[in-house]
Amino acid sequence: MARSTKESTGIERRRFLTFLVAAPVLTVAADLSTAKTAAAVVPSPPAVAEIADIGDLGILVGLPTAHMIVIEVTDTVRLRLPRTEVGQGITTAVAMLVAEELDLPIGAVAVTLEDARPELLFNQLTGSSNSVRSLYDPIRHVAAAARGRLLAAASTLWDLPTRKLHTRDGAVVAPDGRRATYGTLTAAAADRTLRTGAAQPKPESEHTLVGTPTTRVDARAIVTGQVRYALDLDVPGALPTMVRRPPTINGSVRSVDNRAAVLAMPGVVAVSVIPTGVGVTAETFGQALDGKNALEVTWNRGTVDDLSDSDISAKLRNAAPRFPAPNPLVQTVDADFEFAFVSHAPLETNSAIADVRADRAEIWSGLKAPIIARQTIAAALGLPVDRVTVHVTQAGGSFGRRLFFDGALEAAQISRAIGRPVKLMWSRIDDMRHGRARPASHHKIRATMALGQVLSFEHRVASVETDFRHGIGEILSAAVTHLPIIGNLAFSQALFLTTIHTPYHFGATKHQLSEVPLKMHTASFRSVYSANTRGAEEIMVDLIAEKMGKDPVAFRHEFLKNDRQRAVLDAVASAGNWGRPMPDGHAQGIGIHDEYKSCTACLVEIDARDRAEPRVTKAVIAVDVGKPVNPRGLEAQMLGGLTDAISTTLRAGLHIDKGLPLEGSYSQFHYARQKNTPTDVKIVVMPAHGKPGGAGELGLPAAVGAIANAYRRATGTTPTLFPIHFPVDFEPFPR
């Protein structure tokens, strides 16, 4: 495709917009509306996701507002980040980018989270492993623009050409050693009449901070309790609030039968009915909890009251089209896999503060889609959008959960009902049972082989519908996700195709998604469709290799599509000593995954002598994300993906019983503890090249496949139901 003249001029023709606010503050933002989006170049035949993945689409639609990323320079440097920090380390990565361009120590850069800003459109949504990918160029350019203006201000001050000046440690330095700190130059730099030349980011070859392993800027604050999450904020008059929820998913209140008695309890201030339950507001959270538990409520039925695990499993099996009878002229490998519902289970449960008045509302919460939250809350309250302010707070975990804003909406509804500000906290039981979950799914996979080649590979996925009505759907369509069933399912197909691809030359390759529209609380879980889909495929790859009489690593090396994928495979096979002798009941397993312009391989060793308590004892992970901004943060992401994979592959899931999950705490939802995770973990970050790829969701699918393959090799049994060990080994809490 021919490029326009405007586009072909490259970086040097990118424009810069300078927003001059009250001096001595210099505020600048880079306009990247002419930036290029390059399609991936891959061997034929490429899948949709290899041509343009969901991250590419997010970057593309974000270009019109990419210039609205803002840095403020005074005596300090502050970046207003239009993304959410949920523990993934994005504030550290972007602080590194700013510090690099402005020649500052990273501690001199403060990163604050932006309030919801509707004018940002698609540039204030945190998801799809897209934050670093989409922010890398805009932040570098805005910081370079700020540096350019500071140099120009010093040039005017000293009557020296800017080419003779340089920046170091937060100051402009002249050849004779004179220094002017940024704070002393901001007033002049903000002068509208200041003449500046073109400002370009540093060549990546000159980076001294970006690409260097760096400890999180908020690490000490987190471990010492200084980070302020939503419920740590001191909003005047905000009272502790909890909600009594129905005994089944999506049940609703028919009547509150003892309102007066609960209102008479110590500390209870108000009882309010909202669409999702009954709120109890009190002077303390303990009193709110007591009041909630004392409520006597008559409930309407929910939307899945008659469904349990076996019913849902049957619906999924029936929704995945069966394969025809195999062709007798070729070898065939067929396999079915099934994955249970999984709770996101972030450490911080749903929480929010709301102060709703007759003519305005103010909300505080950890939100990954704050613009959509603001719009939805305004509509629910009957207020104009511009009368609702939404503050984004740091959140204690997400894994996809905080794409939705259920807590913020409930807090707003309760505050309006009682006419007072409230601090809403979900209990852990509520978060497990009424929070959103990764949908259950069923997978049918068939591969055909002949003459040492894989001729075809087909994967049919049936999943409970994933709810995407949190804003990311608007990347592709501003309206269709809100249409009944078909709209949301249409978007599901688009997201499935822009995330799922098989990294092997397996002949005619086909993926098909069928979603069962059960009205349950679902949401994207880390790695969305890939964790289960690609995890199952990596088990299938081992089965194909066995059928063809080949070693799993040698087989992958032969059939992978490109050298980058083979490099991460070789790295883990070498570092993990693939093929070494193992005692009975122990084995190695391997998996690979390619997504979001990144790829990774994972090798694990497992001790499965006790099949009820298998334990991963060692892991080696190699990861190639192109340009790693913070290798230490990347290592943390891979370790998190490994831990998620250990949990959801071996023991962690939700049992659905007559319309409600049975699990209600960490003691019942068996997420991996320290004793379940390996002490021997090695993470190999591949050499930097190109632009940054995605990392947040990358580490899960390969590890799922590796763990399942290790279990299979250790036990001689192919796991098909996940988690592998999944009894109800607890007494469920009362409904």
Side-chain angles (χ1 to χ4, degrees):
M1 181 183 296
R3 295 183 300 172
S4 68
T5 303
K6 181 179 181 180
E7 182 184 20
S8 64
T9 56
I11 294 175
E12 68 274 12
R13 291 292 301 277
R14 289 173 177 165
R15 301 187 307 275
F16 294 95
L17 298 180
T18 303
F19 294 94
L20 303 173
V21 297
V25 178
L26 167 65
T27 306
V28 296
D31 179 2
L32 295 186
S33 58
T34 58
K36 300 185 288 266
T37 300
V41 179
V42 296
S44 180
V48 172
E50 293 173 288
I51 300 170
D53 63 32
I54 189 65
D56 291 321
L57 300 179
I59 293 169
L60 178 64
V61 300
L63 286 178
T65 59
H67 63 282
M68 300 178 76
I69 294 170
V70 174
I71 287 176
E72 297 172 346
V73 181
T74 56
D75 291 328
T76 61
V77 174
R78 183 178 302 274
L79 170 70
R80 288 159 43 194
L81 177 64
R83 299 292 188 278
T84 304
E85 174 64 74
V86 293
Q88 78 276 41
I90 181 62
T91 49
T92 301
V94 298
M96 291 174 70
L97 295 174
V98 174
E100 183 73 72
E101 292 298 331
L102 285 171
D103 293 306
L104 289 164
I106 190 171
V109 179
V111 178
T112 58
L113 306 181
E114 281 272 32
D115 291 348
R117 290 176 54 197
E119 68 272 19
L120 291 176
L121 299 177
F122 305 114
N123 258 324
Q124 201 175 7
L125 188 141
T126 309
S128 299
S129 294
N130 201 37
S131 290
V132 171
R133 284 180 69 185
S134 61
L135 294 172
Y136 180 71
D137 278 334
I139 288 177
R140 291 170 62 228
H141 279 80
V142 70
R147 174 166 41 84
R149 296 195 69 85
L150 292 164
L151 286 167
S155 172
T156 301
L157 176 66
W158 294 327
D159 194 23
L160 290 171
T162 56
R163 68 177 183 275
K164 292 188 176 183
L165 306 177
H166 66 277
T167 53
R168 184 176 68 234
D169 295 330
V172 178
V173 182
D176 59 7
R178 281 179 292 174
R179 298 176 77 257
T181 64
Y182 293 164
T184 63
L185 294 171
T186 53
D191 189 339
R192 293 176 180 272
T193 64
L194 181 68
R195 300 182 63 180
T196 62
Q200 299 299 324
K202 290 181 181 178
E204 292 176 326
S205 60
E206 296 180 10
H207 285 174
T208 58
L209 178 59
V210 171
T212 302
T214 302
T215 299
R216 287 183 55 146
V217 295
D218 55 356
R220 180 178 294 274
I222 289 173
V223 300
T224 56
Q226 297 176 61
V227 172
R228 303 186 75 196
Y229 300 96
L231 294 186
D232 295 321
L233 302 179
D234 186 14
V235 174
L239 292 174
T241 301
M242 300 187 77
V243 173
R244 177 69 175 268
R245 301 183 187 281
T248 56
I249 292 172
N250 287 323
S252 58
V253 178
R254 181 179 300 172
S255 64
V256 179
D257 304 324
N258 65 335
R259 182 191 296 264
V262 172
L263 283 170
M265 292 178 65
V268 173
V269 172
V271 174
S272 53
V273 176
I274 59 174
T276 51
V278 183
V280 176
T281 302
E283 294 175 0
T284 71
F285 275 112
Q287 292 167 336
L289 178 62
D290 289 342
K292 174 180 85 80
N293 292 337
L295 279 169
E296 296 174 5
V297 182
T298 301
W299 300 96
N300 295 311
R301 284 172 56 85
T303 52
V304 290
D305 287 12
D306 300 324
L307 297 181
S308 298
D309 283 336
S310 58
D311 309 300
I312 296 168
S313 177
K315 289 179 179 292
L316 292 172
R317 289 196 304 272
N318 291 334
R322 292 176 173 81
F323 291 115
N327 186 335
L329 299 179
V330 297
Q331 288 183 307
T332 303
V333 177
D334 284 349
D336 287 11
F337 304 96
E338 197 159 297
F339 294 81
F341 288 91
V342 170
S343 172
H344 296 82
L347 278 174
E348 181 193 25
T349 63
N350 254 357
S351 56
I353 300 176
D355 182 0
V356 178
R357 308 295 174 91
D359 61 343
R360 62 178 177 83
E362 196 166 4
I363 312 294
W364 294 260
S365 189
L367 302 167
K368 296 177 76 174
I371 295 173
I372 305 300
R374 183 176 187 243
Q375 294 169 351
T376 305
I377 291 169
L381 299 177
L383 290 173
V385 174
D386 62 3
R387 300 301 295 167
V388 177
T389 301
V390 170
H391 304 289
V392 178
T393 63
Q394 185 159 334
S398 174
F399 319 107
R401 176 65 183 90
R402 299 185 199 282
L403 285 164
F404 280 93
F405 38 86
D406 310 291
L409 177 59
E410 287 182 340
Q413 291 168 330
I414 294 170
S415 179
R416 178 183 62 178
I418 70 173
R420 300 186 65 164
V422 299
K423 280 189 173 184
L424 173 68
M425 178 175 66
W426 285 38
S427 71
R428 177 62 59 191
I429 297 175
D430 289 347
D431 211 58
M432 289 280 182
R433 288 180 160 179
H434 291 277
R436 295 176 181 272
R438 182 180 77 182
S441 61
H442 183 88
H443 302 252
K444 297 184 185 298
I445 310 178
R446 168 174 286 182
T448 63
M449 298 88 69
L451 301 175
Q453 297 295 322
V454 180
L455 303 180
S456 67
F457 186 89
E458 187 170 358
H459 189 163
R460 299 177 177 180
V461 181
S463 174
V464 172
E465 179 183 5
T466 302
D467 192 343
F468 291 114
R469 288 166 290 195
H470 48 56
I472 196 169
E474 298 193 12
I475 289 175
L476 298 182
S477 169
V480 298
T481 59
H482 298 282
L483 298 177
I485 299 178
I486 293 177
N488 193 62
L489 293 183
F491 175 70
S492 298
Q493 299 291 335
L495 192 140
F496 183 76
L497 292 175
T498 54
T499 56
I500 296 298
H501 69 92
T502 302
Y504 303 97
H505 284 299
F506 280 171
T509 301
K510 181 179 179 182
H511 292 91
Q512 177 181 342
L513 172 68
S514 303
E515 290 214 312
V516 178
L518 301 181
K519 295 186 180 301
M520 303 182 73
H521 298 317
T522 63
S524 303
F525 184 89
R526 191 177 197 177
S527 209
V528 197
Y529 294 111
S530 296
N532 297 350
T533 300
R534 286 288 303 121
E537 289 185 0
E538 287 302 302
I539 305 170
M540 189 69 173
V541 171
D542 265 32
L543 296 175
I544 299 169
E546 181 178 79
K547 186 81 168 182
M548 298 176 69
K550 297 186 177 184
D551 172 83
V553 169
F555 177 83
R556 284 174 170 81
H557 203 277
E558 179 181 355
F559 283 87
L560 283 168
K561 288 185 174 181
N562 60 57
D563 289 340
R564 188 183 184 197
Q565 297 160 349
R566 281 185 280 272
V568 294
L569 176 66
D570 291 344
V572 297
S574 175
N577 194 13
W578 172 260
R580 74 181 184 90
M582 302 284 287
D584 289 345
H586 295 71
Q588 296 176 314
I590 203 155
I592 193 166
H593 183 58
D594 185 309
E595 192 173 12
Y596 302 112
K597 303 295 186 291
S598 301
C599 62
T600 185
C602 179
L603 181 153
V604 303
E605 295 184 359
I606 200 168
D607 176 356
R609 289 172 296 174
D610 181 353
R611 294 195 182 190
E613 293 287 345
R615 182 173 182 273
V616 175
T617 58
K618 178 179 179 178
V620 181
I621 301 168
V623 56
D624 182 343
V625 296
K627 175 81 171 181
V629 172
N630 183 8
R632 186 165 296 156
L634 177 58
E635 291 171 359
Q637 290 283 22
M638 295 302 106
L639 185 58
L642 172 67
T643 309
D644 280 345
I646 290 170
S647 305
T648 59
T649 305
L650 297 180
R651 296 203 64 198
L654 296 177
H655 293 87
I656 307 300
D657 178 63
K658 296 180 181 178
L660 191 74
L662 294 180
E663 284 75 8
S665 71
Y666 283 126
S667 66
Q668 300 171 354
F669 177 72
H670 295 306
Y671 192 84
R673 309 305 202 266
Q674 283 187 324
K675 67 179 181 179
N676 308 119
T677 56
T679 56
D680 185 356
V681 179
K682 181 176 183 180
I683 300 173
V684 180
V685 177
M686 304 299 281
H689 62 91
K691 298 292 186 182
E697 299 173 277
L698 181 68
L700 185 53
V704 170
I707 294 163
N709 286 330
Y711 181 89
R712 175 178 177 272
R713 289 161 61 88
T715 64
T717 303
T718 301
T720 58
L721 302 177
F722 297 95
I724 293 170
H725 186 66
F726 194 40
V728 180
D729 56 356
F730 54 89
E731 183 67 29
F733 294 115
R735 291 172 178 260

